[in-house]
Amino acid sequence: MTNAVDLQALAAKVAAGLTGPGGPFELTVEQVLGAPIPVFRNRARSLLELLEGSRELGDRDYLVAAGRRLTFAEHYAAAGALAAALRERYGLGKGDRVGILAANAPEWVLTFWAAQRLGAIPVGYNAWWAPREIAYGLEHTAPKVVIADAKRAALLAETGTDIPVLTMDGDLPALLTEFAGGNPEATVGEDDPAIILYTSGTTGRPKGVVHTQRNMVAVSDYHRFNDAMAAGFRGLAWDGSPAGRRFLATMPLFHIASLHNLAVPRIATGDAVVFPSGSYDADSVLRLVETERVTNWAAVPTLANRLLSLDISQYDLSSLTAFSLNSAPSSPALLQRLREHFPVALQGLTTSYGCTESGTAATVATPPELAADAETVGRAVIGVSIEVRDPDGKPVLDGVEGEICVRSPYVMLGYWNDEGATAASIDADRWLRTGDFGVLRQGRLYISGRRSDLILRGGENVYPQEIENVLDEHPAVRESAVIGVAHEDLGQEVAAIVVVDAPDSLTEDELRDHVAKQLAYFKVPARWLITAEPLPRNATGKVLRRQLALGD
């Protein structure tokens, strides 16, 4: 019987053939922003090169949604038309920002690629933001135009912005017709910004993560490399031809999981992206897997957990060959339940570790590795170096806990307009300090703790200080602390301890409404403790979060 050691040896052999001299993914080391970084020698130098290559994919499906679909040829033409409209009607050019505020839709992806034709920088705003958060994002990245769905266009209006807002349902179809045949083209460098996505910051303000042309192309090549590895494992030759796969996008496009690692790479692999319509419902999504013959699905653990409430045997999931869990840690118990009730999990279940700043997964646990060791998040992926470091920044010994640091061609350029935060996160040698803690054992990574204050709610990062800042604005609140508490479905839910002079004078509903008016729904605390007792603090005045509890 083939054992784990044999599989590891086979993987090394296949990888060596692909990445060695003359291989399709030959690796070399180049100076990137002053640091030696492993890169693929035979690579595209911009996303625009990938878009141009997609013309050859013709009438294959690229973007599929309820009642409509765009082939690669149709998408190519539409991206050119939209780019022409943005340049000629709104004056967009290289380096200008194009805001995108919408739920998942083909127009989201189309806007991304149109911006690439201009050398402009798309900005993916969080579609769940409240007007206050939207206003911050607009001020921070100053887009020349924002493209939004109808629901978010109404929220944009509440901010009072004078930035032009184009609606996906109304304005875009008219512009695509008017500027049909347009196809502008810009010249960009590999380390020019290609996208800005927001991630929460420990200071309570979202930070704009900047990924470059190099980052995005490298992520796409990483996915192509994985395809070549899979072929090699089966003893097959790989030539990059489309395999006819269909990827289900249940995570938002303003996350790297759906944009960088699903929608963008498909332009290079020739596969389709399938978008569910409306809010997530396990039954409707599984019906979509049936009707669209979905082959690949990456989900957050919360969504996967909801599948287990259904009788999965009632659905035809025979097309599904790969299923992965991303964006939040997966408990061994969840992995086991999935194997027991979700057929594809028996052979296709993987998990990974990464963050917005890392661009893609830093590590991946393959199905055999995960079956043998449910605690690990796997080994470093191609091109990634991982070190676990002590508080002084020195690598620790195998098996010793420390901060996880990552270096690769996928790691972000930095934070938009925030040199201080960038310097704190990326050192002179381009090592990313993730702020997460873990252990390396014989090449496998184990996560021992996320950022000390971070709450992981259903795949969304929630930082307490942002919520505390809003709570503390309430006139009756003297101080507050927000913590994460265990939740069977979401992983964690948000809880708040609020200190007031007269606890009986303030209700949970009043506080909940106060927060909901200013922050996205997933940041609104679900559990509350209103008390007159002051928060526990150390000698320097910092709240001792580990001593906080809601009580019974």
Side-chain angles (χ1 to χ4, degrees), residues 12 58 72-73 92 124 173-174 223 280 295 330 362 371 449 473 493 500 505 527 534 546:
F72 282 94
L92 264 80
H223 285 274
Y280 178 83
T295 60
S330 307
E473 291 174 0
E493 63 180 355
V500 298
S505 67
R527 297 179 60 185
R546 293 187 178 183

Side-chain angles (χ1 to χ4, degrees), residues 49-62:
E49 288 187 42
L50 299 186
L51 179 61
E52 289 295 332
S54 72
R55 299 180 71 178
E56 300 176 6
L57 296 169
D59 61 1
R60 289 178 174 272
D61 283 345
Y62 177 33

Side-chain angles (χ1 to χ4, degrees), residues 136-389:
Y136 164 75
L138 297 178
E139 179 184 3
H140 183 235
T141 39
K144 273 195 171 182
V145 65
V146 179
I147 295 178
D149 57 24
K151 179 178 179 180
R152 280 78 187 183
L155 295 177
L156 281 158
E158 290 185 34
T159 70
T161 183
D162 58 1
I163 298 170
V165 175
L166 305 179
T167 59
M168 290 180 170
D169 292 338
D171 295 320
L172 256 59
L175 289 172
L176 294 179
T177 298
E178 181 180 353
F179 290 90
N183 215 20
E185 185 173 319
T187 299
V188 295
E190 283 194 89
D191 296 310
D192 286 345
I195 182 73
I196 301 172
L197 296 181
Y198 278 89
T199 184
S200 295
T202 54
T203 61
R205 283 287 200 177
K207 290 182 288 189
V209 174
V210 182
H211 286 117
T212 64
Q213 298 285 329
R214 182 194 303 277
N215 296 152
M216 300 292 286
V217 170
V219 172
S220 290
D221 282 342
Y222 158 64
H223 285 274
R224 294 174 62 247
F225 171 79
N226 287 343
D227 293 345
M229 283 288 292
F233 261 98
R234 298 193 299 270
L236 303 174
W238 177 86
D239 62 4
S241 298
R245 295 170 300 184
R246 302 177 77 78
F247 287 72
L248 183 63
T250 53
M251 288 183 281
L253 285 163
F254 53 81
H255 280 191
I256 63 168
S258 267
L259 183 65
H260 296 41
N261 292 280
L262 197 158
V264 171
R266 305 291 72 83
I267 207 88
T269 63
D271 300 307
V273 181
V274 180
F275 296 109
S277 58
S279 58
Y280 178 83
D281 170 77
D283 174 73
S284 62
V285 170
L286 291 181
R287 295 298 178 197
L288 187 61
V289 171
E290 286 185 324
T291 57
E292 287 293 339
R293 307 304 294 160
V294 168
T295 60
N296 296 65
W297 184 9
V300 296
T302 297
L303 302 191
N305 192 45
R306 292 175 185 172
L307 298 176
L308 301 176
S309 64
L310 302 176
D311 181 359
I312 294 177
S313 67
Q314 300 301 306
Y315 304 87
D316 177 9
L317 306 181
S318 58
S319 62
L320 198 59
T321 59
F323 180 78
S324 63
L325 297 176
N326 306 99
S327 300
S330 307
S331 70
L334 173 59
L335 298 180
Q336 185 56 36
R337 289 198 302 273
L338 285 169
R339 291 190 183 97
E340 292 171 357
H341 300 287
F342 198 34
V344 70
L346 291 173
Q347 59 184 18
L349 182 60
T350 64
T351 192
S352 61
Y353 165 75
C355 55
T356 304
E357 290 86 344
S358 67
T360 187
T363 68
V364 169
T366 63
E369 286 177 324
L370 201 56
D373 184 355
E375 301 284 349
T376 185
V377 291
R379 300 174 183 275
V381 306
I382 187 74
V384 170
S385 298
I386 292 182
E387 289 184 353
V388 174
R389 296 180 174 180

Side-chain angles (χ1 to χ4, degrees), residues 90-129:
Y90 298 96
L92 264 80
K94 183 176 179 179
D96 291 329
R97 273 75 65 204
V98 182
I100 310 174
L101 184 64
N104 283 4
E107 291 80 8
W108 207 115
V109 180
L110 175 63
T111 302
F112 170 87
W113 287 109
Q116 302 307 323
R117 297 213 68 89
L118 300 171
I121 308 170
V123 183
Y125 297 119
N126 190 316
W128 296 329
W129 275 355

